[in-house]
Amino acid sequence: MKQPYYQLDFSALLCKFQIKVNDIEILSLNLDGQASTDIPINAAIFGSGKQEIEVRGYPLDGTTVLNHEAYIRYKIVEQDVENDKFSIINSSEKYQTPQAKQGEPFIIHKTTFNAEVPYQIENWGGLQKLTNLKSDLYPPLYNAYNHLIENSKRSNHEALFSAIRTIETRNAKTMYLGHDDLQARVKDISDDLNSGFNVMDLENKCKVEYAGDGKLARLVRSDGNSALAFSNSKTNEQLILDIWFCLPHGKTSFSVF
């Protein structure tokens, strides 16, 4: 069976860049220099059809002005994965952000492309568009996060690990991973969380962020990271669990996507 694998072949210079696919952040990095790499993006492709890409470049951390030489260049590369071998099927033209003008807060480029994948995330077509709802989503989202946090504080990790398995099962489907690979990914995350990390309370300044054409929502901290975080007092490290919630049609409470 054909297994299309989509990547961004990109390079960036002198900016804090952000890459989103279908409103979902794939990578963000403060780049005081130049770099180029390939990034897999299947994890944000939930079925065949039109996909959206957005790249942005911001001033470097500690500065307020965007470097006039800053840029982000990228192209979309489609490959087929067969017997763990990658063969290029198609490649888009190379896109580039416009040159930064004096006083601009950021540079941006958007485009769309069509993806043909042999999978469809089962509940994707049955999700409500949250941005169309008139109710305030912060309270129920807060409760969904707090359910995971309070249970973890009581050393009841089943709800948290169930959420992790849901996320990684979806990722495994989009990345064509087998059962053993899925189990290994879940175990790696579980091992990290069990090695001296404790769940953190939600920040007071969390805000709601949407993705996936308004079908997904999460809370983010003031630094822009996912609100679900863990800290290790001995190593002074933090772990961030990127988690999105959805609201299936006919349901009134959020589910982990």
Side-chain angles (χ1 to χ4, degrees):
M1 179 185 294
K2 184 179 177 182
Q3 295 181 325
Y5 189 84
Y6 294 89
Q7 289 183 305
L8 286 190
D9 177 347
F10 90 100
S11 61
L13 175 71
L14 294 173
C15 62
K16 182 175 183 178
F17 68 83
Q18 179 188 55
I19 297 174
K20 287 186 176 184
V21 176
N22 295 323
D23 294 333
I24 295 175
E25 183 176 284
I26 298 297
L27 181 64
S28 178
L29 183 66
N30 189 63
L31 185 60
D32 188 8
Q34 185 177 23
S36 59
T37 189
D38 297 325
I39 306 175
I41 60 175
N42 274 52
I45 298 174
F46 306 134
S48 296
K50 186 174 75 171
Q51 319 293 326
E52 299 179 349
I53 295 179
E54 176 182 300
V55 301
R56 292 191 181 211
Y58 296 94
L60 292 167
D61 285 347
T63 69
T64 58
V65 178
L66 190 62
N67 191 300
H68 74 279
E69 295 182 356
Y71 67 76
I72 305 168
R73 297 173 182 151
Y74 68 99
K75 65 179 179 179
I76 304 147
V77 179
E78 179 186 356
Q79 302 184 76
D80 187 30
V81 184
E82 187 175 359
N83 300 323
D84 294 326
K85 295 181 179 179
F86 291 76
S87 58
I88 295 179
I89 300 172
N90 192 24
S91 180
S92 75
E93 63 178 291
K94 181 163 283 189
Y95 304 105
Q96 179 170 334
T97 51
Q99 185 173 16
K101 297 179 181 178
Q102 186 173 1
E104 278 189 328
F106 59 84
I107 47 178
I108 183 172
H109 187 275
K110 297 181 181 181
T111 192
T112 62
F113 72 99
N114 192 62
E116 295 294 334
V117 293
Y119 61 81
Q120 174 79 30
I121 301 304
E122 286 83 357
N123 63 345
W124 183 242
L127 300 182
Q128 299 183 50
K129 191 164 184 175
L130 303 174
T131 49
N132 288 343
L133 301 179
K134 296 180 180 180
S135 57
D136 181 5
L137 295 186
Y138 184 87
L141 269 178
Y142 179 91
N143 290 338
Y145 276 88
N146 220 34
H147 173 72
L148 298 176
I149 291 171
E150 292 303 320
N151 274 283
S152 294
K153 284 183 176 180
R154 295 192 295 268
S155 298
N156 179 4
H157 300 303
E158 181 52 37
L160 176 63
F161 290 154
S162 176
I164 292 172
R165 284 193 292 272
T166 296
I167 295 167
E168 289 305 319
T169 298
R170 169 171 52 80
N171 287 337
K173 190 167 190 176
T174 63
M175 302 295 286
Y176 314 114
L177 301 179
H179 179 73
D180 290 343
D181 293 320
L182 168 60
Q183 294 298 101
R185 285 170 66 96
V186 172
K187 185 178 185 302
D188 286 344
I189 298 173
S190 299
D191 289 346
D192 285 340
L193 295 178
N194 285 323
S195 61
F197 283 88
N198 296 307
V199 68
M200 299 170 62
D201 288 323
L202 288 175
E203 271 191 3
N204 292 327
K205 297 181 179 179
C206 286
K207 65 178 183 178
V208 179
E209 183 176 84
Y210 298 96
D213 194 29
K215 293 182 178 181
L216 306 177
R218 67 174 181 171
L219 294 181
V220 294
R221 306 191 302 181
S222 55
D223 61 5
N225 286 316
S226 171
L228 190 57
F230 304 80
S231 64
N232 188 318
S233 58
K234 292 183 179 179
T235 63
N236 201 30
E237 293 178 291
Q238 283 191 13
L239 285 177
I240 307 296
L241 183 59
D242 198 12
I243 184 169
W244 291 92
F245 288 91
C246 61
L247 195 59
H249 284 294
K251 302 291 185 180
T252 57
S253 58
F254 281 106
S255 300
V256 174
F257 179 70

